[in-house]
Amino acid sequence: EAQVTQNPRYLITVTGKKLTVTCSQNMNHEYMSWYRQDPGLGLRQIYYSMNVEVTDKGDVPEGYKVSRKEKRNFPLILESPSPNQTSLYFCASTTGAHNTGELFFGEGSRLTVL
Amino acid sequence: GQNIDQPTEMTATEGAIVQINCTYQTSGFNGLFWYQQHAGEAPTFLSYNVLDGLEEKGRFSSFLSRSKGYSYLLLKELQMKDSASYLCAVLDSNYQLIWGAGTKLIIKP
């Protein structure tokens, strides 16, 4: 089954404790992206990757890191989480470098930073 | 700046028709997407318009007017399962998606 898998789905952590949210897709998509979703603000892009070893900042990259060492995986790293990073996070992928295709989203990771 | 506007919330009756509008001001245009998002779930793709006109897909249709910076999503024969948020997103000149905040659609029996 074609899918994007994120882990963990739910996480409560404390300020400053490094964490990684994993994302994996099995559709051989070139383009992968991370979003955060907050009430009333819609989806905001954190980072994206158009292919292996190529990553770029989105609209709200501060406090986040990513890597794209393999085509299928695109982990999101919070080196020192802060309460303002409490949010619902989505990983998404699509075929093609120009992002004109349908985005496939993971189920989401709800993160709470205390 | 770039901006996508859509109503925050709409209410409609089961079996009826509802139109959700989206207006946009972006630097360039390479297409407009509509996604459906049920509460607590991931968005799922509904439609993609790049040329002017109406695209019909079952009970859902999407319209685009590039000259007016305007799109709408039309939902016919509403069902309770259509209660969800509907997200409008525009692909700008750099092929980056600009997202609206979403329209929460409430369906009443």
Side-chain angles (χ1 to χ4, degrees):
Chain A
E1 180 189 354
Q3 60 185 6
V4 179
T5 304
Q6 294 178 228
N7 279 296
R9 295 285 317 282
Y10 302 91
L11 179 63
I12 300 174
T13 189
V14 295
T15 299
K17 186 176 181 182
K18 180 180 178 179
L19 68 94
T20 299
V21 186
T22 63
C23 174
S24 181
Q25 51 92 5
N26 63 359
M27 295 168 279
N28 202 36
H29 285 166
E30 291 85 4
Y31 186 98
M32 297 187 74
S33 180
W34 275 103
Y35 290 93
R36 60 178 289 172
Q37 187 175 38
D38 302 288
L41 293 180
L43 287 165
R44 292 183 292 168
Q45 190 177 54
I46 303 170
Y47 270 94
Y48 65 97
S49 169
M50 297 176 77
N51 217 323
V52 176
E53 301 292 359
V54 179
T55 62
D56 282 292
K57 295 178 180 179
D59 299 317
V60 287
E62 295 77 21
Y64 305 94
K65 287 174 60 177
V66 293
S67 67
R68 188 91 182 273
K69 296 176 182 175
E70 306 164 283
K71 198 171 188 178
R72 63 183 293 125
N73 295 324
F74 191 44
L76 179 70
I77 303 156
L78 285 74
E79 293 272 1
S80 183
S82 61
N84 65 11
Q85 292 179 298
T86 291
S87 188
L88 177 60
Y89 291 86
F90 287 105
C91 179
S93 72
T94 187
T95 188
H98 280 259
N99 206 13
T100 54
E102 168 188 354
L103 270 174
F104 292 84
F105 285 85
E107 293 182 295
S109 297
R110 187 168 291 282
L111 170 66
T112 301
V113 183
L114 301 176
Chain B
Q2 308 205 87
N3 194 51
I4 310 284
D5 283 318
Q6 44 180 141
T8 302
E9 188 175 295
M10 299 181 70
T11 302
T13 304
E14 190 177 15
I17 300 173
V18 71
Q19 178 176 310
I20 302 174
N21 296 326
C22 171
T23 57
Y24 62 89
Q25 292 171 307
T26 56
S27 55
F29 179 86
N30 280 301
L32 185 144
F33 291 85
W34 284 97
Y35 283 82
Q36 180 190 59
Q37 185 178 24
H38 286 101
E41 298 183 7
T44 54
F45 171 82
L46 288 176
S47 66
Y48 172 63
N49 293 66
V50 65
L51 299 176
D52 290 351
L54 185 69
E55 300 243 353
E56 298 184 72
K57 195 184 291 186
R59 294 189 298 114
F60 291 13
S61 303
S62 56
F63 171 83
L64 175 66
S65 169
R66 289 172 296 171
S67 62
K68 295 182 179 178
Y70 169 70
S71 172
Y72 67 73
L73 182 68
L74 191 71
L75 291 73
K76 302 177 185 176
E77 300 169 16
L78 286 169
Q79 302 175 10
M80 297 303 293
K81 67 178 182 180
D82 297 330
S83 291
S85 289
Y86 292 85
L87 313 181
C88 174
V90 172
L91 206 55
D92 71 8
S93 57
N94 294 319
Y95 291 94
Q96 295 305 307
L97 275 172
I98 312 300
W99 294 84
T103 298
K104 183 179 180 180
L105 178 63
I106 299 168
I107 309 296
K108 295 185 175 179

